[in-house]
Amino acid sequence: MPELPEVETVARGLQALIAGRKILSVSLGKTDFMDNPATIEKELPGRCILGVERYGKFLLLRLGTAPEIESTQSAEESALLVHLGMTGMLLPQAVAEPPKKHTHAAMLLDDGRELRYVDARRFGRMAYLAGEVLQKELQRFGLDPLAMSVEEFVSEIHARRARIKALLLDQSVIRGVGNIYADESLWKAKVHPAQLGVRLTTDELHKLYRAIQGILRKAIVLRGSSISDFLDADGIPGEYQRHHRVYGREGKRCVRCGAAIRRVIVAGRSSYYCPNCQKAPRGFGVKRKKSKARSAASNTNSGKR
DNA sequence: CTCGATCCCTGGACGC
DNA sequence: TGCGTCCAGGGATCGA
């Protein structure tokens, strides 16, 4: 599941592998995850890939008209935005190599390779954007977690009344953090996912800030987490999943205190946390609006909840 | 503003 | 071996 470290890994790989290449032609498969497939088919051929950047969880393929330097100011800025969703992969492959199943876009490059977008679930997104439309789209997103200052982070979180987990996942607040790194960061900072952002102390937020940056940086060094089928641009899985402390570890021991890791739904997402290290806010765990009739029935197996 | 619910989609895990 | 069912989850959207 590509989040910031995975997308950063892919961006770096692609930068090394395809920057400077020219797109000769494009062929598309299923297009229901693309904003504007006809525009993609029309605009990409003949364009040069100036560079590949990460923007939040997006890959940004900067496009130019000339193979060398952007010269005329008349050429407006343009880019292909690619979101990998859950299962997306962007792989430069030899044309002779048989395409993987679920290959939905193939861009023929001027060195004889094809840049292929593969995405089984099509939870990703692809869009060709230019000029003001591109700027507007990028402005929708919040702070870059690796570039933000601690003051920016604190004021952003303190301004919101939502739960901290929801805020970390909200791309308009912070761009790039997803479910895995949110949970890992909250555990490291000893903050409960259901805690309200506005209720967190400055000290807690400083800890959380450091946790987010430390974990993301380490995950980037380890080329991200490969949970299901994430592969980077070189087709290599990441290593960070071996360092997960809470994510996917329901029922296992907290490596810090030995308590059993729990899973609850916060902000509509599975949230893994240590009930001992991460103290729940007042009122958490109070049943919302169910009658007591089902407490016996739901108490079936041991670790599950 | 914030919430939960719903939908999108397919593969993998699991039960029988 | 092969069903059926559930679940994963980022993000858009809608109603409360």
Side-chain angles (χ1 to χ4, degrees):
Chain A
M1 30 213 70
E3 302 179 25
L4 187 150
E6 292 76 31
V7 180
E8 178 70 29
T9 300
V10 173
R12 290 180 184 182
L14 289 176
Q15 173 66 26
L17 291 169
I18 64 165
R21 298 271 64 82
K22 188 175 171 183
I23 298 169
L24 299 181
S25 62
V26 174
S27 72
L28 304 181
K30 292 189 179 178
T31 60
D32 56 354
F33 63 97
M34 301 179 188
D35 288 30
N36 45 11
T39 308
I40 289 171
E41 281 179 314
K42 175 173 176 287
E43 294 290 340
L44 263 49
R47 308 293 284 278
C48 181
I49 300 168
L50 300 177
V52 182
E53 303 164 20
R54 176 191 61 79
Y55 187 86
K57 295 178 193 170
F58 282 89
L59 290 162
L60 217 56
L61 277 66
R62 298 277 184 185
L63 300 173
T65 47
E68 305 90 15
I69 310 99
E70 282 287 86
S71 49
T72 59
Q73 78 262 66
S74 61
E76 68 176 0
E77 195 181 15
S78 63
L80 185 71
L81 260 71
V82 179
H83 195 299
L84 300 175
M86 298 292 299
T87 50
M89 286 178 279
L90 204 49
L91 302 166
Q93 298 179 320
V95 172
E97 188 170 339
K100 288 177 183 261
K101 198 178 175 186
H102 306 299
T103 297
H104 301 303
M107 289 160 257
L108 181 63
L109 305 178
D110 62 354
D111 61 0
R113 287 177 303 167
E114 248 178 11
L115 181 61
R116 292 169 176 166
Y117 182 75
V118 184
D119 188 355
R121 289 175 218 183
R122 306 203 301 284
F123 265 31
R125 178 185 169 199
M126 189 177 288
Y128 170 87
L129 301 176
E132 271 188 31
V133 178
L134 174 60
Q135 294 311 317
K136 275 280 193 311
E137 180 63 17
L138 298 183
Q139 284 165 15
R140 293 174 49 217
F141 300 95
L143 303 169
D144 184 309
L146 291 177
M148 67 186 179
S149 70
V150 68
E151 291 80 13
E152 287 174 317
F153 177 68
V154 170
S155 73
E156 195 70 23
I157 300 300
H158 268 162
R160 304 294 217 93
R161 270 165 300 291
R163 292 164 171 177
I164 185 63
K165 175 69 181 276
L167 294 174
L168 294 180
L169 294 180
D170 187 336
Q171 301 299 295
S172 72
V173 176
I174 298 169
R175 59 179 199 259
V177 175
N179 208 34
I180 294 173
Y181 297 102
D183 280 2
E184 293 297 318
S185 300
L186 289 168
W187 175 83
K188 189 172 183 186
K190 301 187 180 179
V191 174
H192 192 282
Q195 193 71 250
L196 301 188
V198 72
R199 295 279 307 276
L200 293 176
T201 66
T202 304
D203 181 58
E204 285 175 318
L205 286 174
H206 278 243
K207 283 196 175 78
L208 184 53
Y209 173 87
R210 283 195 296 275
I212 291 168
Q213 292 202 339
I215 283 169
L216 291 177
R217 290 208 177 96
K218 182 165 185 188
I220 288 171
V221 170
L222 294 177
R223 307 171 67 79
S225 305
S226 289
I227 296 291
S228 51
D229 40 18
F230 168 73
L231 298 176
D232 67 19
D234 300 297
I236 301 169
E239 296 287 327
Y240 192 74
Q241 66 277 7
R242 298 180 188 177
H243 295 262
H244 291 175
R245 298 296 185 244
V246 283
Y247 184 82
R249 298 191 67 244
E250 183 181 13
K252 300 205 170 116
R253 289 184 176 282
C254 171
V255 298
R256 199 160 46 201
C257 78
I261 300 300
R262 286 190 195 159
R263 182 176 75 94
V264 292
I265 303 297
V266 178
R269 296 281 171 254
S270 277
S271 299
Y272 298 89
Y273 71 104
C274 170
N276 184 47
C277 295
Q278 296 161 271
K279 295 301 181 197
R282 284 234 172 275
F284 179 78
V286 176
K287 304 289 183 289
R288 270 196 320 280
K289 56 173 187 182
K290 59 176 80 164
S291 59
K292 51 267 170 161
R294 53 191 288 188
S295 59
S298 63
N299 189 17
T300 45
N301 49 16
S302 51
K304 276 276 175 191
R305 174 57 268 251

